Amino acid sequence: MALTAHRRRAEVQTVPGGALAFQRVFTRLGCTGRPPQFVVQYYPYANLSHTIRLREEVARVRLSDVLRRATLPVLEAAAAVLLGRLYRRHVPREMLQCYRQFTASSATQRRIERVRPGRTRRRTRHACGAAHNLEPLFAALNVHYFGGALHRPRLAWSDRPWRRQLGCFDPGLNLIVLNVRLDRPETPRYVVESILFHEMLHVKHPLRVARCGLEIHSADFRREEKRFAHYRQARKYLERLR
């Protein structure tokens, strides 16, 4: 069950030294104007989200409580990302890299996976849709492309049609969801399989840090994706669908 509003309020806590950290970063980035009064709190978000709202002379910051165990440089890097967006200032590369390394670390990902199931809930339909059943499709793809060794997450169709996204893998919820727009008799089976195969590759290739930032689709990921027997045919179909 997702966190209730009462429980969320109870878990909101002031970040020790948070206001001072934001003031230092404000100066370091060269933000113009008088620095606001920073009110910095930890908030039980379902993922590594952070927000900042500036009203009059008060900047209210909510940092994901996943940062509770972060070092001061990581905290300041998160501040730089937020302030850089708010004041349109360049964030030093070393601060971005520091934050990205923290984000993609195995310890951080495990922390997110532990807290996420109790804080969020995706509205989904059963894996056995009106026209396509994801469970036998996953089993067949697993045997053919992964030797049957890939861990099987929970499978579902989205509760409502998505405008852009065709599928997603949520490691925190251990869940693959496909866009219910594809669950139609006129959608070829190989098209559904291609999207499911793509999300299965996300199970195999987790997010990692690369030189230019967080790498979602690595070179290995892209090479394996093209192993799908109907790769080009499925892409052409999906281009017409969008």
Side-chain angles (χ1 to χ4, degrees):
M1 183 180 296
L3 278 178
T4 63
H6 176 74
R7 283 186 61 193
R8 285 188 184 276
R9 287 194 295 269
E11 294 187 24
V12 173
Q13 297 180 0
T14 299
V15 178
L20 289 176
F22 270 76
Q23 289 173 8
R24 287 194 299 271
V25 174
F26 181 94
T27 301
R28 179 174 177 179
L29 296 185
C31 300
T32 57
R34 181 179 177 180
Q37 175 188 350
F38 290 103
V39 178
V40 187
Q41 298 174 315
Y42 286 125
Y43 191 80
Y45 286 117
N47 49 37
L48 202 58
S49 297
H50 317 296
T51 62
I52 183 169
R53 291 182 174 85
L54 179 63
R55 292 185 178 178
E56 297 181 352
E57 297 184 0
V58 179
R60 299 190 178 276
V61 181
R62 283 182 169 180
L63 300 177
S64 168
D65 60 359
V66 174
L67 286 179
R68 286 184 191 275
R69 302 175 186 176
T71 62
L72 181 58
V74 172
L75 179 63
E76 291 183 342
V81 171
L82 288 174
L83 291 173
R85 293 174 183 170
L86 182 63
Y87 290 94
R88 298 182 180 180
R89 306 301 296 178
H90 173 74
V91 179
R93 177 177 293 183
E94 64 273 15
M95 298 186 82
L96 284 176
Q97 187 66 11
C98 174
Y99 183 72
R100 288 164 177 165
Q101 287 179 342
F102 173 83
T103 300
S105 71
S106 57
T108 300
Q109 292 301 314
R110 287 195 300 269
R111 170 69 175 158
I112 294 173
E113 290 174 11
R114 284 197 300 269
V115 303
R116 185 168 171 75
R119 297 180 178 180
T120 188
R121 179 176 55 194
R122 281 188 180 270
R123 297 179 63 85
T124 60
R125 301 183 185 183
H126 195 271
C128 183
H132 300 279
N133 189 343
L134 300 178
E135 292 183 351
L137 295 183
F138 183 100
L141 290 169
N142 195 7
V143 170
H144 187 76
Y145 295 101
F146 302 92
L150 189 70
H151 158 72
R152 198 196 88 169
R154 294 186 296 118
L155 306 170
W157 288 101
S158 65
D159 183 58
R160 297 179 180 180
W162 297 337
R163 293 183 61 184
R164 299 180 180 179
Q165 202 171 16
L166 294 174
C168 73
F169 168 57
D170 189 327
L173 298 180
N174 190 34
L175 175 67
I176 288 178
V177 183
L178 264 60
N179 191 337
V180 75
R181 286 180 60 200
L182 300 174
D183 186 29
R184 299 179 296 187
E186 59 268 30
T187 305
R189 169 174 167 164
Y190 68 81
V191 172
V192 178
E193 287 179 328
S194 71
I195 303 302
L196 181 57
F197 180 62
H198 180 96
E199 302 309 326
M200 291 169 72
L201 288 175
H202 279 300
V203 178
K204 181 179 178 181
H205 298 277
L207 188 73
R208 72 181 186 89
V209 175
R211 179 176 298 178
C212 297
L214 297 179
E215 188 172 60
I216 300 174
H217 300 115
S218 65
D220 289 340
F221 184 107
R222 291 303 189 189
R223 277 194 295 269
E224 287 197 50
E225 185 177 32
K226 293 178 181 178
R227 291 177 52 219
F228 181 65
H230 303 284
Y231 174 76
R232 295 186 182 278
Q233 191 176 0
R235 284 179 66 87
K236 289 181 180 179
Y237 182 95
L238 292 170
E239 286 172 1
R240 295 195 300 271
L241 180 66
R242 291 179 177 178

